[in-house]
């Protein structure tokens, strides 16, 4: 995923963020993806510690939305899904239509009553 970076436990956070050039926020997971030791949201070379991967996902999305940042093309459909299906917010800025992927997944979830 373009919005999650998995690093080993013990990674030097100040050195890590200093070498990152990515402008959009992303999630740094230290340890294993399914059982992380630490999770951070990285934005503008700053590391924000969060309690869990889900909290990191929440904070990361809210940073995109509040700061009116464009989604990276590699993960735009994923963020669009969170925006529309999870958070119930309107159309993506600059977009006129919901992508087919998001419409299909939303229809499937509605049919399953998840």
């Amino acid at each position: 995923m373009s919005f999650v970076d998995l690093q080993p436990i013990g990674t030097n956070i100040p050195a890590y963020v200093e070498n990152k050039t990515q402008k959009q926020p992303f999630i740094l997971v230290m340890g294993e993806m399914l059982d992380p030791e630490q999770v951070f949201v990285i934005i503008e070379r700053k590391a924000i510690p969060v309690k869990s991967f889900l909290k990191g996902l929440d904070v990361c999305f809210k940073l995109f939305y509040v700061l009116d940042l464009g989604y990276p093309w590699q993960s735009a459909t994923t963020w669009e899904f969170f925006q529309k299906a999870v958070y119930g917010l309107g159309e993506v800025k600059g977009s006129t239509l919901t992508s087919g992927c998001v419409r299909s997944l939303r229809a499937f979830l509605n049919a399953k009553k998840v």
Side-chain angles (χ1 to χ4, degrees), residues 58-74:
D58 181 59
V59 169
C60 200
F61 172 78
K62 288 175 180 175
L63 284 169
F64 274 111
Y65 201 79
V66 169
L67 298 175
D68 197 25
L69 301 173
Y71 302 138
W73 67 268
Q74 302 95 327

Side-chain angles (χ1 to χ4, degrees), residues 4-13 16 27-40 53:
V4 178
D5 189 8
L6 185 62
Q7 293 292 316
I9 297 169
T11 298
N12 183 327
I13 299 297
Y16 174 86
I27 302 166
L28 170 63
V29 175
M30 295 180 65
E32 297 181 27
M33 182 61 94
L34 297 177
D35 188 25
E37 287 290 321
Q38 291 181 289
V39 181
F40 298 88
F53 179 78

Side-chain angles (χ1 to χ4, degrees), residues 3-4 14 20 22 34 38 40 44 56 64 84 88 94 96-97 101 112 114:
F3 60 92
V4 178
K20 281 294 174 184
Q22 184 173 338
L34 297 177
Q38 291 181 289
F40 298 88
E44 293 291 324
F64 274 111
K84 293 178 180 180
T96 55
L97 298 173
C101 299
K112 293 288 185 181
V114 175

Side-chain angles (χ1 to χ4, degrees), residues 1-3 22 24 71-79:
M1 289 184 267
S2 68
F3 60 92
Q22 184 173 338
Q24 289 100 344
Y71 302 138
W73 67 268
Q74 302 95 327
S75 57
T77 304
T78 303
W79 289 120

Side-chain angles (χ1 to χ4, degrees), residues 85-106:
V86 175
Y87 290 95
L89 300 172
E91 291 297 321
V92 175
K93 187 172 184 159
S95 173
T96 55
L97 298 173
T98 301
S99 70
C101 299
V102 171
R103 282 194 315 268
S104 296
L105 186 54
R106 186 186 295 164

